Amino acid sequence: MPSPATSWSPQSWKSFPTTQQPVYPDAAALDRMLAEIGALPPLVTSYEIEALKAQLAEAARGERFILWGGDCAESFADCSSAAIASKLKILLQMSLVLVQGTRKRITRIGRFAGQYAKPRSAMTEVRDGVELPSFRGDNVNRPEFTHASRTPDPQLLLRGYERSALTLNFVRSLVDGGFADLHHPENWDLDFVKHSPLAAEYQKMVDSIGESLRFMESLAGGTLAQMQRVDFFTSHELLVLAYESALTRQVPRREGWFNLSTHLPWIGMRTNASGGAHVEFCRGIRNPVGVKVGPDTTVDTLLDTVRTLSPDNEAGRVVLISRFGAHQIGRAFPPLLRAVRDAGLHVVWVCDPMHGNTETVVPTAGEWAGKSVKTRKFGHILAECEQAFEIHRAEGTVLAGVHIELTGENVTECIGGARGISEDDLSRAYRSQVDPRLNYEQALELAMLIARRAAPR
Ligand code: PEP
Ligand code: CO
């Protein structure tokens, strides 16, 4: 573990054990690209980052609820008006449902505007005796199984930066233009909600929006005009450290360094070693930082990581994202939760009910009969959320939010939900290159069920 006295710089991670980093054959080309990115404007501001940190601290005290969601991986091809708008719509609709259920203000965080790089369990992939680097996301290499496509290309980092900026620009314009105006939730309807078994329940909520608005306004102590604007924050898995350090800067009139590629970077399960390069990098930035916590996390590692990231025990700084799976959370989570609580560490607990519940099924009928397909069961996702609420309640701690992989599209990637998507339905509209996401209706349904669970008792 680096001691707090060890000097930090945006490059100090280089002398720590690194994992999951692409190997670029042309180091000079990478350096040129990083210098170019390093001279470009930041994607977010330190002011926004500090505002998010303050909101996260409120959520940890139970005064807010965090809705964090988006694709497992963004793709360059999906940087389109329709895909971005439908992602915003589903997050807005879910937050509308959650505000009614929880009676709390909602902080919306997108897994977007930078969620391009993916961790992989193997460095290489072998097909028919040919071994090539694994596909690591659109800002690293290309998915086609050829040597040229799979070779990491530094140009893609710049394209990823630009795609992030385009996404963010459109999100900000939509929000500023009144798209997110809570007074007009009827504008957010997506066509197929009309055919959903949940349509009536959702309509009831839209009809009672007036009441919920008044409620929010009284909570916020704000006027109608102030309530019209709804903010979105951005987040992505902090993976390619060379890219992240090129966007890590000092800003006038504020102490310290900020990673200005996103508001809330998180460290994934495969890179969260307490003495590793990713933790070292995050130690020196002022952003709030997420850390995934799973069945393999030990009490010692977790305490060590939290103390390294937050030596001053700053509220809102460390977000611990639990992802155990419905079958393991009951056994594996409480000891970790108690240890953090008993050590008096300020953390923000969020439940990710997706990544511990991934499984492979083999449909027996339909186009994919006999093939292995990666999926998740809605029942398991819901069960993990419900157990997370129960465990926090029992331990006297706060579940501050949820972190979900979803899309605003009508895909068939996860099994179950009110429409009863079956294994044999998966082939119909399975579009994810990586993890299976909740579709629009399943995401809205999950929000409704969480809202019931989170209702003040
Ligand atoms: C993810 O959030 O997409 C992810 C890879 O999660 P984890 O690190 O928890 O496996
Ligand atoms: Co994922």
Side-chain angles (χ1 to χ4, degrees):
M1 183 185 99
S3 89
T6 313
S7 68
W8 180 94
S9 82
Q11 310 293 338
S12 59
W13 59 269
K14 288 184 178 165
S15 42
F16 287 72
T18 50
T19 43
Q20 299 285 340
Q21 301 305 290
V23 180
Y24 292 93
D26 184 347
L30 174 66
D31 286 346
R32 276 196 304 278
M33 198 44 62
L34 294 173
E36 187 171 340
I37 293 170
L40 290 168
L43 294 168
V44 301
T45 66
S46 63
Y47 172 81
E48 295 165 338
I49 289 171
E50 290 294 353
L52 173 60
K53 210 195 286 174
Q55 291 193 15
L56 294 172
E58 287 176 14
R61 295 194 297 268
E63 296 158 15
R64 278 185 176 271
F65 197 74
I66 301 160
L67 172 63
W68 191 349
D71 289 304
C72 182
E74 289 179 284
S75 71
F76 289 174
D78 270 352
C79 184
S80 70
S81 139
I84 297 167
S86 68
K87 236 176 286 182
L88 285 199
K89 280 183 190 179
I90 183 60
L91 288 171
L92 276 168
Q93 285 177 305
M94 291 172 81
S95 63
L96 176 69
V97 167
L98 287 169
V99 85
Q100 285 213 331
T102 62
R103 299 302 194 198
K104 289 176 186 170
R105 282 169 290 165
I106 307 294
T107 293
R108 281 155 296 269
I109 306 172
R111 284 176 66 114
F112 54 49
Q115 178 53 16
Y116 292 114
K118 292 307 296 174
R120 300 308 306 257
S121 30
M123 286 293 279
T124 59
E125 183 182 340
V126 180
R127 283 192 207 170
D128 301 328
V130 179
E131 186 174 7
L132 292 175
S134 298
F135 173 58
R136 293 186 166 272
D138 276 2
N139 69 351
V140 174
N141 55 3
R142 299 175 177 85
E144 297 77 31
F145 196 73
T146 65
H147 180 73
S149 295
R150 290 293 178 91
T151 304
D153 177 357
Q155 283 283 343
L156 297 175
L157 291 175
L158 178 63
R159 292 197 59 204
Y161 163 88
E162 290 166 349
R163 285 289 203 267
S164 302
L166 295 172
T167 304
L168 206 43
N169 179 56
F170 190 51
V171 169
R172 291 195 202 278
S173 308
L174 285 175
V175 167
D176 283 345
F179 174 86
D181 186 342
L182 288 176
H183 297 84
H184 297 286
E186 67 278 8
N187 294 343
W188 318 333
D189 274 345
L190 296 182
D191 283 347
F192 53 94
V193 77
K194 297 194 189 93
H195 312 291
S196 161
L198 297 167
E201 196 174 339
Y202 179 69
Q203 194 56 48
K204 226 167 61 202
M205 289 190 169
V206 169
D207 292 343
S208 63
I209 182 70
E211 187 221 331
S212 120
L213 252 186
R214 280 192 296 282
F215 202 91
M216 286 169 68
E217 282 165 350
S218 70
L219 276 180
T223 64
L224 231 64
Q226 278 172 334
M227 292 304 300
Q228 280 173 4
R229 208 193 122 112
V230 173
D231 287 324
F232 280 88
F233 294 98
T234 65
S235 71
H236 63 248
E237 178 169 350
L238 177 116
L239 205 60
V240 184
L241 292 171
Y243 171 78
E244 303 294 342
S245 37
L247 281 157
T248 295
R249 319 256 169 98
Q250 286 178 298
V251 298
R253 291 178 297 284
R254 267 191 215 278
E255 296 261 308
W257 294 80
F258 289 84
N259 178 358
L260 300 174
S261 78
T262 190
H263 299 115
L264 172 52
W266 81 84
I267 305 175
M269 240 10 243
R270 294 168 189 78
T271 48
N272 66 4
S274 68
H278 289 77
V279 171
E280 167 62 13
F281 176 78
C282 287
R283 178 170 78 90
I285 57 173
R286 307 257 327 126
N287 304 54
V289 173
V291 183
K292 294 280 192 118
V293 177
D296 298 335
T297 310
T298 64
V299 164
D300 287 349
T301 322
L302 185 60
L303 296 182
D304 199 27
T305 303
V306 175
R307 290 188 176 120
T308 302
L309 292 174
S310 190
D312 302 332
N313 205 11
E314 185 189 7
R317 156 76 171 159
V318 179
V319 183
L320 295 180
I321 311 162
S322 65
R323 37 84 81 217
F324 291 91
H327 302 302
Q328 299 216 54
I329 182 170
R331 176 190 58 77
F333 185 34
L336 294 165
L337 183 60
R338 283 180 207 133
V340 173
R341 181 197 62 193
D342 296 347
L345 300 176
H346 285 303
V347 301
V348 189
W349 281 109
V350 169
C351 171
D352 163 2
M354 311 301 293
H355 288 88
N357 289 310
T358 316
E359 60 185 288
T360 303
V361 296
V362 182
T364 51
E367 204 184 313
W368 285 358
K371 294 200 174 122
S372 295
V373 191
K374 208 158 128 180
T375 190
R376 291 164 173 155
K377 297 202 171 92
F378 186 88
H380 291 161
I381 294 167
L382 178 62
E384 181 159 1
C385 286
E386 294 193 322
Q387 290 180 75
F389 274 109
E390 279 318 312
I391 292 168
H392 279 284
R393 227 163 239 156
E395 300 297 337
T397 50
V398 172
L399 177 60
V402 288
H403 178 129
I404 292 166
E405 285 186 345
L406 53 82
T407 166
E409 329 270 311
N410 197 7
V411 300
T412 52
E413 297 171 5
C414 291
I415 292 173
R419 287 252 190 176
I421 291 177
S422 71
E423 292 183 8
D424 299 342
D425 292 327
L426 292 175
S427 60
R428 217 173 50 227
Y430 195 105
R431 300 205 197 108
S432 177
Q433 291 261 21
V434 270
D435 289 341
R437 303 157 296 177
L438 293 179
N439 66 21
Y440 170 77
E441 282 183 13
Q442 290 170 326
L444 197 59
E445 179 178 2
L446 185 68
M448 287 180 173
L449 298 170
I450 290 173
R452 268 184 216 158
R453 189 41 86 133
R457 287 190 180 166

